[in-house]
Amino acid sequence: MAAPQQAAVCGAVETCGLERILEALKLLLSPGGSGSSSLQITQHDVLLATLKSNLSALEDKFLKDPQWKKLKLLRDEIANKAEWPQNSVDVTWSFTSQTLLLLLCLKKSMVHLAADFNPGQPNPRTPEAAPALSPDTLSISQQKTVQSVLQFIVTLGIYPYLMPGVGVPLRYRTEFGAVVQDVVCLDAVPDATQRLYTSCRVLLNVAQHASLGSLIFCRHFGDIAAGLCQLGFCPVKRKPLKPEEEVLTEEERALCRKALRDILDQVYQPLAVRELLILQGGPPQSCTDVKREARCRAPAWLRRLCGQLLSERLMRPSGVQAVVRGILEGAGAGAAGGSDAEATAADWKKCDLIAKILASCPQQSLSPEDYYRDICPQILDLFHFQDKLTAQQFQRVATTTFITLAREHPQLAAKYLLQPMLAPLHRCLNTAEIPESDMVPETILVTEEELSRCIEDVFKVYVVGNELLTALVDSLLPVLGALFSLYCFTKQSVSHIRSLCQEILLWILGKLERKKAIASLKGFAGLDKSVPSLHPLCQFRAATQGGIMITIKEVICDEDEDEALYQKVSSQQCQLEHLGDLLSHCQECGLAGDFFIFCLKELTHVAMENEAKLKTQPYSSNSLLELEQHQTLLVEDQEQKLLVLQLMAVLCERMSEQIFTNISQVVDFVAATLQRACASLADQAESTVESQTLSMSMGLVAVMLGGAVQLKSSDFAVLKQLLPLLERVSSTHPDPVIQELTLGLRITISTHGAFATEAVSMAAQSTQNKKNPEGKIKAQQQTSHERNTDGSQSLLEQQQSHGKSNQTGLKPDAPFIPQGVSKPGSTTNQKPGSVTTEQLQEVLLSAYDPEIPTRAAALRTLSHWIEQKEARVLEVQEKLLKIFLENLEHEDTFVYLSAIQGVALLSDAYPEKILLGLLAQYDCDKDQHTPETRMKVGEVLMRIVRALGDMVSKYREPLIHAFLRGVRDQDSAHRASSLSNLGELCQRLHFLLGSVVHEVTECLIAVAKTDHEVQVRRAAIHVIVLLLRGLSQKATEVLRDVLKDLYHLLKHVVHFERDDVAKLHAQLALEELDEIMRNFLFPPQKLEKKIMVLP
């Protein structure tokens, strides 16, 4: 009897199809309904009724439908083998048990179908045909059914039995979760813990099938992990008295712990990290309800457990990548490189969080050194991802981790991060020991990929990270020589790492202390042999993939010594030129100036040593070895001196005039020059070059003291360093002119510029004229051409000097310029944003100075600052407008033209705030302002109209109305000014004249025919000329309605006007109109041929 029953069961397994099992699952999941309007009670009742109804329907199918007999036999077999209670008073557990049994049936059927599947041999005639699908493959609709079943199992079989704080509560996930919590009966048999254990174990059993496992772990891995954590690791409060009272045995708890670790190792590691982080939870939240706060936060044992498991994930192979992906993907980036990857990469806070996690040694590690030895290679691998978005994320994390480790553990970071990263460069230094096996010529010491990765990683850590840490700087300093040699090699051809090398060198040179930076530059130039550099046996070579590799040189024979010498000299020359190019980018920070001064001092030492050695007796020794060593030292010394001279030549050629950025550098430069002059004078070997250099340096000091640079008290303290050198030159130099100049410079420096001799003033003026003679001639020509508008700059300076000399008691020949008021030519060299509050206040006070040249210079300085958009100047725009408007009433041409220029520039910057006020002032009665002032305001408005250009259309209405009202003014000069401004405005409005063209035309006709003043009539005719010239061929469209009236007016003026100038203007206007109409009626013929392409 047992044998036939067993055979029937086996046959049921073999022949039961997946469709029948999935149909049974659908039957269990079929929804119910209720017509009641009550919410909470109705939802509970409907849920319980639906579950009971679906269970009864399933049992009826099993009993009455013969087609379901095989599935019933399979389910009964699995149910008999099951070790958990399947029936309960609680309907939810009975429903969960049935779904679990059907899932086990589904798994068993899929395993049998896959085992019996034989796909057969593929047809070679149709290789493109898709292979046959395995019969255990689920369709998309079937997968959706299984996912729905899994949701019910998790909702009814796992989450109601989790402790508070374990997992994400159902009420935070779905609205259905709140209903389920109240429906589940926890007091019914079986116990809640047993139910949770059963659900987790069955789901893990089903997940052993690959297809079903992917469906389970993809969405419910965290739910199963939460249940296993509670079952296996939750501490037991008390020991049961009897074994029968134990809900879970110790063996079952051990199985849960093992299952948890197995699934953690089995699933995608970033998913495991993300779910463990969710289980661990965040910091405690501020909740007013104590119970809710307890539910909000995970229990302490769970937090410790998740921390331990996360540390284990981190310490696994590729654990760093898994942690990074888990945190970033869990933060909303999707799969790494997804649509939100850029937003996540830009979030530095997440990168800092990951860096802190990676930099903290977990408790499970034996020692911090073991931990960092394991994870540091993985951190370096984060730099080398190919996908752009993924690389952007991981590189930022790696950079932040580098910086965090270098800050918190500098020694370990240097040992396990920085040294491996810089190993390719260390391998080719002259301090490294190259193995004998690698000494064969053409041996590749550093491959192309290694070198490219090294440079890219250094760029990401140092330049992108941009953190000045001692560990980072100390690690990079030894390889700077090799890095500079690589930079020089990349300059000879095209290379993608050239810009990286340049950025790295510029970054480290800018961040280093000035002494260390200059010492590094000395090593680059070959002046300091103690600085590590490229090994003499190593060379850079172009690689096959477009990169660079490092190989061993071929040994040059003794016969080719000339070739070796040539290569050495040419290599030094190229390195010095590339060093000059590199320093040209370091001028703003002052490093180029300091290095230039250092080289100048070295040049002075070279000159002094040469003179000293000429006086020494020749070396004599009885030992040939000592003599050879002495000769070698002499040769090296000569090479060093030639190298200094060559370096000075390159720097003088490559550096610009802005090499010195502060007074201290200029003073050091002059001091070095004076020292060399003193050395030459002491040896009585002064040459023409030495004399010219001395004159140039002293002229430079005279220019600074003459006002070209605004000197402070601290600057004079620096200048006092020159006093002993100037005294030595004054006492030893034979030229009386030099003696007088040095004496004057000493007096001016000692008195802080309060007194300047005539020799100092002449030297300053002579030096400035030598510096830019062409600009001076051009400025003089422009001054003579614009005498009536802008005034004479040289005359202004002369008047300034005479006016101030009378007040201070200086000689009339000494040029004196106020510190705050700059020359118009000198302010152009001032950088934007460099105006100080003291300078601004001094210039504002000078704008009220009774001396005309000083006032005009102050107004032009303010105008220049406005044009340069100086922030401090634009903050006081109202005060500036008041100053300019007050100076408009001044009678002197210098002053009011400067004020007009200032108001125009200020209006260009703030037209809305200033233009309307100027129009009101222009339109006021002559009792409020003099006619001259109103004319000057009209000049300002004309300049504003020209400056606004096409933007003048925004202010069309107020401008036209003001000018039209001005045409009716009693003052004839004001009427002419209004007409001139009206012509300028209409010339730029073009098509935007609109309906106003009729008003303008009527005004012009009335003025040209009826005004008594000939000047006004001329202005009206001139407006028509401007209109026709400005509109050109557009006149036939813009002036279409009034063109006939204008033509009649011009004819009337030509025939009846008595003023010859007005007639001339009218004749010119008629010629313009004639040309326009001819081009309109007889357009020029274009010799062109159209080629049509037929379809």
Side-chain angles (χ1 to χ4, degrees):
M1 198 62 193
Q5 184 178 3
Q6 185 176 3
V9 170
C10 294
V13 172
E14 293 175 1
T15 58
C16 183
L18 302 182
E19 293 80 5
R20 190 67 61 200
I21 302 175
L22 291 168
E23 186 179 353
L25 290 173
K26 284 185 179 180
L27 182 60
L28 284 177
L29 299 181
S30 59
S34 176
S36 175
S37 60
S38 178
L39 293 179
Q40 191 69 18
I41 298 177
T42 301
Q43 289 179 354
H44 292 175
D45 295 341
V46 168
L47 178 60
L48 291 175
T50 302
L51 295 179
K52 289 179 182 179
S53 174
N54 293 346
L55 287 173
S56 300
L58 180 64
E59 291 299 327
D60 291 342
K61 280 284 187 181
F62 283 149
L63 294 175
K64 298 179 181 179
D65 195 340
Q67 297 180 357
W68 289 58
K69 185 177 180 181
K70 296 177 181 179
L71 178 58
K72 182 178 182 303
L73 293 175
L74 179 61
R75 187 200 66 167
D76 293 342
E77 179 198 5
I78 295 176
N80 294 331
K81 293 181 179 179
E83 299 177 355
W84 76 85
Q86 300 157 19
N87 297 320
S88 174
V89 178
D90 188 3
V91 179
T92 58
W93 178 245
S94 299
F95 180 84
T96 304
S97 298
Q98 290 301 317
T99 53
L100 290 174
L101 289 174
L102 289 176
L103 278 181
L104 290 173
C105 293
L106 179 64
K107 176 207 170 186
K108 195 166 187 179
S109 298
M110 293 174 69
V111 170
H112 278 279
L113 289 173
D116 298 338
F117 175 60
N118 186 12
Q121 296 296 328
N123 188 359
R125 297 182 180 180
T126 58
E128 70 276 3
L133 282 176
S134 176
D136 65 337
T137 305
L138 298 177
S139 66
I140 295 177
S141 60
Q142 291 172 344
Q143 290 182 8
K144 289 183 178 179
T145 302
V146 175
Q147 288 175 351
S148 300
V149 170
L150 292 174
Q151 282 184 323
F152 267 93
I153 294 174
V154 170
T155 305
L156 298 175
I158 292 181
Y159 264 97
Y161 315 115
L162 293 178
M163 297 174 59
V166 179
V168 180
L170 282 177
R171 63 176 179 272
Y172 295 146
R173 300 173 66 168
T174 59
E175 296 180 0
F176 181 65
V179 181
V180 172
Q181 284 184 336
D182 298 332
V183 170
V184 174
C185 182
L186 299 177
D187 297 331
V189 178
D191 187 83
T193 304
Q194 190 65 40
R195 296 184 189 184
L196 178 62
Y197 177 78
T198 301
S199 300
C200 292
R201 293 296 299 174
V202 173
L203 287 178
L204 290 177
N205 187 4
V206 175
Q208 292 176 1
H209 190 276
S211 299
L212 296 176
S214 63
L215 294 176
I216 292 174
F217 290 142
C218 180
R219 295 198 176 181
H220 302 289
F221 172 78
D223 306 325
I224 299 174
L228 293 176
C229 287
Q230 179 174 322
L231 293 171
F233 295 92
C234 178
V236 181
K237 294 184 179 179
R238 64 180 180 86
K239 247 186 172 180
L241 298 176
K242 299 178 181 179
E244 305 85 47
E245 298 180 2
E246 287 186 351
V247 179
L248 286 182
T249 63
E250 187 60 33
E251 182 180 356
E252 290 174 337
R253 289 170 60 87
L255 287 175
C256 293
R257 290 192 288 267
K258 183 178 183 302
L260 176 64
R261 297 188 182 276
D262 290 341
I263 63 172
L264 285 175
D265 295 338
Q266 177 183 352
V267 299
Y268 179 56
Q269 289 303 298
L271 174 63
V273 171
R274 183 180 64 189
E275 295 299 336
L276 287 175
L277 288 173
I278 294 174
L279 282 177
Q280 190 178 31
Q285 302 175 358
S286 58
C287 300
T288 55
D289 189 3
V290 179
K291 295 182 180 179
R292 185 176 180 183
E293 182 179 355
R295 289 196 299 268
C296 289
R297 195 180 187 197
W301 64 267
L302 182 60
R303 296 197 302 272
R304 290 193 297 269
L305 173 63
C306 292
Q308 180 181 357
L309 295 175
L310 284 171
S311 300
E312 292 177 1
R313 299 304 99 194
L314 176 62
M315 297 172 64
R316 285 168 54 91
S318 302
V320 171
Q321 184 183 150
V323 170
V324 174
R325 286 184 181 273
I327 296 177
L328 292 179
E329 292 174 7
S339 59
D340 297 332
E342 291 184 357
T344 305
D347 193 347
W348 280 97
K349 293 183 179 179
K350 294 184 180 65
C351 299
D352 292 338
L353 173 64
I354 299 173
K356 290 179 180 178
I357 292 175
L358 297 178
S360 302
C361 179
Q363 297 178 354
Q364 291 82 2
S365 179
L366 298 176
S367 66
E369 189 163 357
D370 295 336
Y371 169 72
Y372 291 120
R373 185 190 303 114
D374 294 336
I375 69 161
C376 285
Q378 300 182 45
I379 295 174
L380 287 172
D381 291 338
L382 295 179
F383 283 123
H384 308 141
F385 283 87
Q386 299 300 322
D387 181 64
K388 290 185 178 179
L389 293 179
T390 306
Q392 187 179 7
Q393 291 177 315
F394 287 6
Q395 288 170 12
R396 188 159 289 186
V397 171
T399 300
T400 312
T401 308
F402 255 89
I403 295 171
T404 305
L405 279 175
R407 184 186 297 114
E408 297 179 0
H409 306 282
Q411 295 181 352
L412 295 176
K415 183 176 181 180
Y416 295 112
L417 280 178
L418 296 171
Q419 288 183 5
M421 181 181 68
L422 298 171
L425 293 177
H426 279 287
R427 215 178 301 161
C428 62
L429 291 178
N430 56 0
T431 56
E433 294 183 3
I434 302 177
E436 294 184 1
S437 58
D438 295 337
M439 296 295 289
V440 181
E442 303 299 326
T443 301
I444 298 177
L445 197 61
V446 178
T447 63
E448 174 186 6
E449 183 181 3
E450 287 179 333
L451 189 59
S452 298
R453 280 191 173 187
C454 173
I455 301 301
E456 292 171 359
D457 294 350
V458 171
F459 176 80
K460 294 165 189 174
V461 172
Y462 287 85
V463 181
V464 178
N466 196 22
E467 287 283 343
L468 184 62
L469 299 176
T470 304
L472 296 179
V473 174
D474 292 345
S475 299
L476 189 61
L477 277 178
V479 299
L480 281 183
L483 190 62
F484 177 73
S485 301
L486 176 61
Y487 168 72
C488 295
F489 183 80
T490 58
K491 294 283 285 185
Q492 300 175 11
S493 60
V494 178
S495 177
H496 68 282
I497 63 174
R498 179 198 301 172
S499 59
L500 301 181
C501 294
Q502 179 175 324
E503 291 295 330
I504 296 169
L505 291 171
L506 291 177
W507 183 88
I508 189 65
L509 291 175
K511 296 293 185 180
L512 282 174
E513 297 178 3
R514 195 48 52 92
K515 291 183 179 179
K516 292 184 178 180
I518 292 178
S520 300
L521 291 175
K522 288 168 58 179
F524 296 166
L527 297 177
D528 189 357
K529 302 298 183 181
S530 62
V531 177
S533 59
L534 188 68
H535 198 283
L537 295 178
C538 297
Q539 65 176 355
F540 295 104
R541 288 188 58 183
T544 55
Q545 301 298 324
I548 299 172
M549 58 183 178
I550 303 177
T551 62
I552 301 297
K553 285 182 181 180
E554 292 185 2
V555 181
I556 300 178
C557 302
D558 296 338
E559 300 176 357
D560 297 335
E561 290 183 358
D562 295 339
E563 179 67 21
L565 180 60
Y566 172 76
Q567 290 182 2
K568 180 180 178 182
V569 172
S570 61
S571 175
Q572 288 180 351
Q573 177 66 27
C574 291
Q575 285 193 353
L576 293 181
E577 292 178 357
H578 299 324
L579 179 61
D581 294 336
L582 189 66
L583 285 174
S584 64
H585 300 283
C586 302
Q587 295 187 104
E588 294 184 0
C589 64
L591 178 61
D594 290 340
F595 186 67
F596 182 80
I597 294 169
F598 162 77
C599 295
L600 195 62
K601 293 179 180 179
E602 288 292 319
L603 189 62
T604 304
H605 295 324
V606 168
M608 295 175 65
E609 289 176 1
N610 284 338
E611 297 299 333
K613 288 184 177 181
L614 288 175
K615 298 179 180 180
T616 58
Q617 295 180 356
Y619 181 82
S620 59
S621 176
N622 296 327
S623 174
L624 293 177
L625 180 61
E626 293 179 1
L627 181 61
E628 183 178 358
Q629 291 177 352
H630 177 68
Q631 293 295 331
T632 303
L633 292 176
L634 289 179
V635 171
E636 291 179 355
D637 189 42
Q638 292 297 324
E639 288 181 356
Q640 193 88 348
K641 294 175 182 177
L642 291 175
L643 199 59
V644 171
L645 293 174
Q646 194 175 5
L647 181 58
M648 282 296 301
V650 171
L651 292 179
C652 292
E653 180 183 355
R654 299 299 176 95
M655 297 297 106
S656 65
E657 297 178 354
Q658 288 78 25
I659 185 172
F660 298 134
T661 57
N662 51 54
I663 299 297
S664 300
Q665 289 183 340
V666 177
V667 171
D668 290 340
F669 168 72
V670 174
T673 307
L674 293 178
Q675 286 178 355
R676 192 165 70 254
C678 293
S680 300
L681 291 172
D683 297 328
Q684 296 181 357
E686 186 185 13
S687 62
T688 305
V689 176
E690 296 290 345
S691 300
Q692 292 178 354
T693 307
L694 179 61
S695 302
M696 180 269 295
S697 61
M698 296 176 68
L700 182 60
V701 179
V703 168
M704 288 195 300
L705 296 174
V709 180
Q710 298 177 3
L711 299 176
K712 302 177 183 178
S713 58
S714 58
D715 297 331
F716 280 103
V718 177
L719 284 169
K720 286 184 178 180
Q721 301 175 8
L722 302 177
L723 292 179
L725 294 173
L726 290 173
E727 185 177 1
R728 288 177 57 187
V729 172
S730 177
S731 60
T732 57
H733 204 282
D735 191 352
V737 178
I738 298 295
Q739 294 178 2
E740 183 181 1
L741 179 58
T742 52
L743 179 61
L745 291 175
R746 289 168 56 199
I747 294 173
T748 307
I749 294 173
S750 300
T751 58
H752 286 208
F755 180 80
T757 62
E758 183 179 359
V760 175
S761 303
M762 292 178 61
Q765 185 175 3
S766 175
T767 304
Q768 288 181 331
N769 293 341
K770 290 179 180 179
K771 183 178 179 181
N772 192 9
E774 296 180 358
K776 182 183 177 184
I777 296 171
K778 183 178 179 180
Q780 290 176 352
Q781 293 175 352
Q782 185 177 0
T783 300
S784 62
H785 180 67
E786 301 178 355
R787 182 176 302 169
N788 295 329
T789 57
D790 294 339
S792 173
Q793 180 179 345
S794 59
L795 179 61
L796 176 62
E797 295 173 1
Q798 185 178 359
Q799 291 179 351
Q800 277 184 307
S801 61
H802 280 286
K804 290 297 179 180
S805 61
N806 293 333
Q807 296 178 10
T808 57
L810 299 178
K811 295 183 180 181
D813 296 332
F816 185 85
I817 301 174
Q819 289 184 354
V821 182
S822 305
K823 296 181 183 180
S826 62
T827 54
T828 56
N829 294 329
Q830 197 170 15
K831 298 179 180 179
S834 60
V835 177
T836 62
T837 306
E838 293 78 8
Q839 293 175 345
L840 179 60
Q841 293 297 330
E842 188 173 355
V843 175
L844 291 177
L845 291 176
S846 300
Y848 293 101
D849 197 283
E851 295 293 333
I852 292 175
T854 304
R855 177 179 292 197
L859 293 176
R860 289 190 173 274
T861 302
L862 291 174
S863 300
H864 176 74
W865 286 345
I866 295 172
E867 188 176 6
Q868 295 295 323
K869 308 292 185 184
E870 293 288 348
R872 288 190 178 89
V873 178
L874 296 178
E875 289 175 358
V876 293
Q877 52 175 311
E878 297 180 358
K879 184 182 294 185
L880 294 177
L881 180 61
K882 180 181 178 183
I883 292 174
F884 287 136
L885 292 179
E886 290 178 358
N887 282 282
L888 280 179
E889 302 179 0
H890 201 280
E891 59 183 6
D892 189 81
T893 309
F894 286 166
V895 177
Y896 75 72
L897 284 178
S898 301
I900 287 173
Q901 182 185 6
V903 177
L905 291 172
L906 197 60
S907 303
D908 187 25
Y910 303 98
E912 295 181 355
K913 299 181 180 179
I914 298 174
L915 185 58
L916 298 179
L918 291 175
L919 288 174
Q921 188 172 355
Y922 182 72
D923 203 19
C924 65
D925 297 334
K926 62 180 181 180
D927 297 335
Q928 298 180 8
H929 293 283
T930 61
E932 291 79 7
T933 302
R934 297 172 68 196
M935 291 281 291
K936 295 170 185 175
V937 175
E939 175 70 17
V940 174
L941 291 174
M942 184 182 69
R943 294 193 181 190
I944 293 174
V945 169
R946 292 174 180 172
L948 287 176
D950 295 336
M951 293 297 297
V952 77
S953 59
K954 182 178 180 181
Y955 312 99
R956 181 190 69 168
E957 299 296 333
L959 285 170
I960 287 182
H961 293 164
F963 295 152
L964 289 177
R965 285 193 299 267
V967 175
R968 296 181 297 176
D969 196 85
Q970 297 179 0
D971 187 12
S972 60
H974 189 73
R975 295 201 301 273
S977 173
S978 299
L979 286 169
S980 178
N981 291 337
L982 184 63
E984 288 284 344
L985 178 62
C986 294
Q987 189 178 8
R988 282 162 174 77
L989 285 178
H990 297 295
F991 291 101
L992 297 174
L993 272 173
S995 60
V996 187
V997 68
H998 296 279
E999 300 179 20
V1000 174
T1001 305
E1002 293 298 329
C1003 174
L1004 295 177
I1005 293 174
V1007 171
K1009 290 184 177 180
T1010 62
D1011 200 292
H1012 300 290
E1013 294 293 334
V1014 64
Q1015 185 179 4
V1016 180
R1017 296 198 301 274
R1018 292 176 182 175
I1021 304 301
H1022 186 60
V1023 171
I1024 301 176
V1025 177
L1026 290 178
L1027 267 176
L1028 296 176
R1029 286 180 181 174
L1031 295 174
S1032 185
Q1033 299 302 320
K1034 301 176 186 176
T1036 55
E1037 300 179 33
V1038 179
L1039 306 176
R1040 177 178 51 189
D1041 299 332
V1042 297
L1043 201 58
K1044 184 178 179 182
D1045 298 333
L1046 293 177
Y1047 175 74
H1048 289 316
L1049 174 61
L1050 295 174
K1051 283 292 186 180
H1052 173 79
V1053 173
V1054 171
H1055 289 99
F1056 300 104
E1057 176 62 52
R1058 289 170 293 180
D1059 183 58
D1060 294 334
V1061 178
K1063 284 184 178 182
L1064 177 61
H1065 283 312
Q1067 190 63 40
L1068 293 174
L1070 286 173
E1071 292 178 1
E1072 291 286 342
L1073 186 58
D1074 180 69
E1075 184 68 22
I1076 292 171
M1077 295 308 299
R1078 285 180 183 274
N1079 291 331
F1080 177 73
L1081 296 174
F1082 309 103
Q1085 297 294 327
K1086 296 182 179 179
L1087 299 177
E1088 60 182 12
K1089 184 178 181 180
K1090 295 184 179 179
I1091 300 176
M1092 304 293 293
V1093 180
L1094 297 177

